[in-house]
Amino acid sequence: MNDSLTMTYSAIVTGKDQKKMVRVRFERENNSGGADFAEGIIPDCSIQSQSGFSDDEVFQLEQYLKANMEDIRQKAKVISNPLKWL
């Protein structure tokens, strides 16, 4: 099993409640040859769905989102503006 954890994030999107947010996904390989995942949102810093992570790991991921929220938000801003891709 690979112990590495991959994090990806969306551009800034508008939710159903009209609030701006960033979707964040954590993923790692599991022993079955598949992948565990946890999906959360910023600014709530909460994991919305997950498979394969323990309660403690989910708590740690939420703490990570809180501690790194501004950095993730700034990176999401860059991909939200296609003009910055050039």
Side-chain angles (χ1 to χ4, degrees):
M1 180 167 91
N2 183 351
D3 288 337
S4 67
L5 184 66
T6 303
M7 181 186 83
T8 55
Y9 50 87
S10 70
I12 296 173
V13 295
T14 304
K16 293 178 184 177
D17 57 3
Q18 300 305 310
K19 291 183 182 177
K20 298 210 182 282
M21 66 178 159
V22 177
R23 295 193 171 278
V24 181
R25 181 178 175 99
F26 298 95
E27 199 168 301
R28 67 181 178 199
E29 290 181 23
N30 62 29
N31 290 330
S32 305
D36 297 333
F37 74 90
E39 296 178 340
I41 56 171
I42 288 174
D44 293 355
C45 299
S46 62
I47 298 299
Q48 303 293 302
S49 62
Q50 67 91 15
S51 176
F53 286 87
S54 70
D55 290 342
D56 185 53
E57 289 172 319
V58 169
F59 176 77
Q60 290 176 33
L61 292 173
E62 290 175 338
Q63 294 304 305
Y64 177 86
L65 290 176
K66 287 176 187 173
N68 295 281
M69 178 172 46
E70 194 53 39
D71 183 51
I72 295 168
R73 188 181 309 190
Q74 290 302 316
K75 290 176 180 175
K77 271 187 192 178
V78 171
I79 63 173
S80 296
N81 184 352
L83 296 177
K84 292 186 178 184
W85 298 353
L86 304 175

